[in-house]
Amino acid sequence: MTAMALDWSSWLHLLGYYLALSLMAVGGAISTAPDMHRILVAEHGWISDPQFGASIALAQAAPGPNVLFIALLGWNVGLNAAAQAGSSAAATWAWALMGAAVCMLGIMLPSTTLTLLATRWAHRNRQRRSVRAFRQGMAPIVVGLVCATAWVLGRAHGVAATDWPLWLLSVVCGLLVWRTRLHLLWLLAAGALLGAVGWV
Amino acid sequence: MTPPSHTPAFRPENPRALFLAFTTLALQGFGGVLAVVQRELVERRRWMTNEEFIEDWAVAQVMPGPNVVNLAVMMGDRYFGVRGALAALAGMLAAPTVLLLIAATVYAHFADHPAMAGALRGMGAVAAGLIGGMAIKLGTALLQHPLGWPTAGALALLTTLAIAGLRIPLPWVLLVLGGAACALSWHRLGRP
């Protein structure tokens, strides 16, 4: 599907979509990725399917919070719009930046404002039994969620019987993080090196 | 007002320090920032304790929006109000965004190289290990949990199984298991 040029109402539509999505993104931005695919790729054709997939993969691999894949989606929307309009190089950069800014502003503004207000309320009322019960009660759930994240990330390696070096690498890293204060960047660099030379 | 049981040893001097701290940790966060936040803010800088980190993470998790971003906003606000929240947020996003856009621009040239794919695979395995190691560390905090460690540990195990094993959507897990855990704690707090 080819990308379509964007007029001002399309940009507003894009902003409005992310503003609304922001409040639905319980459990992180990545949980709303299927819906973004529906809107950006299937419904409007603002970006292509490969662009969508590469945006998520790149943001996962690069440093920084994974939510930045949304900035990359917006960046690609801007690039496509500029290409469609036949813009100059400078204008292309400007459109791409605007796409990134519109999407990030939309996904962040409502949720961060809400978080700020809720946190302040909880802090003012921290002696209430209900607030204390919430904070205490959620602790084991949070630990469980972190374990689940590790499990899901680890499972992406594939079958343990054939991909055991990857699993071994994960387990060794987990133990090193637990027992030592080794800098995390050393572990990541080692992982990248082992992968690049084909040992894992 | 009762003081918290574990008071952190240090705090950021100004929003600038906050911005730099979040920039540093965001740039280390390949494949997610969570493990790095715990390492940098709890262990290295000691701006917060493990217990505080878990409590804040719980709030960041149930609020809508990107969780680490919520966490940055909450921590920044605690030290310097809205200014701090903006400083932490900017630190978390500014440098990584610039890097990511550069990476996206050069990515196309090397995407097909096998060494590149291998390096990404290796880093993915390390990322899984980092989160796993952090889970163990956070899990040790449950040994002192007011509900007692067997109950707290069972709740954590059930959550892991529900999310990763049974693939139950997060809102349901939070509602049912989180609700049960909060109700138990509420009951426990009512006893003298």
Side-chain angles (χ1 to χ4, degrees), chain A residues 120 129 136 142 155 170 182, chain B residues 39 57 77 125 145 167:
Chain A
R120 289 184 166 182
R129 188 172 163 192
Q136 285 184 4
V142 170
R155 197 163 44 193
S170 290
L182 200 64
Chain B
R39 171 65 74 100
W57 183 245
D77 181 57
H145 197 273
R167 299 256 132 166

Side-chain angles (χ1 to χ4, degrees), chain A residues 22-46:
Chain A
S22 176
L23 292 176
M24 286 183 261
V26 178
I30 200 76
S31 60
T32 54
D35 198 65
M36 286 179 219
H37 185 273
R38 183 175 67 81
I39 292 288
L40 300 179
V41 181
E43 196 166 305
H44 293 283
W46 284 332

Side-chain angles (χ1 to χ4, degrees), chain A residues 3-72:
Chain A
M4 289 185 291
L6 270 74
D7 53 19
W8 287 108
S9 72
S10 302
W11 282 109
L12 275 179
H13 182 86
L14 187 66
L15 178 65
Y17 169 69
Y18 274 106
L19 286 171
L21 198 66
S22 176
L23 292 176
M24 286 183 261
V26 178
I30 200 76
S31 60
T32 54
D35 198 65
M36 286 179 219
H37 185 273
R38 183 175 67 81
I39 292 288
L40 300 179
V41 181
E43 196 166 305
H44 293 283
W46 284 332
I47 65 171
S48 68
D49 221 350
Q51 280 180 322
F52 190 89
S55 296
I56 292 187
L58 263 179
Q60 297 259 323
N66 289 338
V67 65
L68 288 178
F69 80 90
I70 294 174
L72 213 44

Side-chain angles (χ1 to χ4, degrees), chain A residues 2 9 20 28 46-47 60 69 78 83 99 104 107 117 142-143 148 150 156 161 173 191 199:
Chain A
T2 54
S9 72
W46 284 332
I47 65 171
Q60 297 259 323
F69 80 90
M104 282 306 277
I107 198 73
L117 296 176
V142 170
V143 172
C173 283
W199 284 7

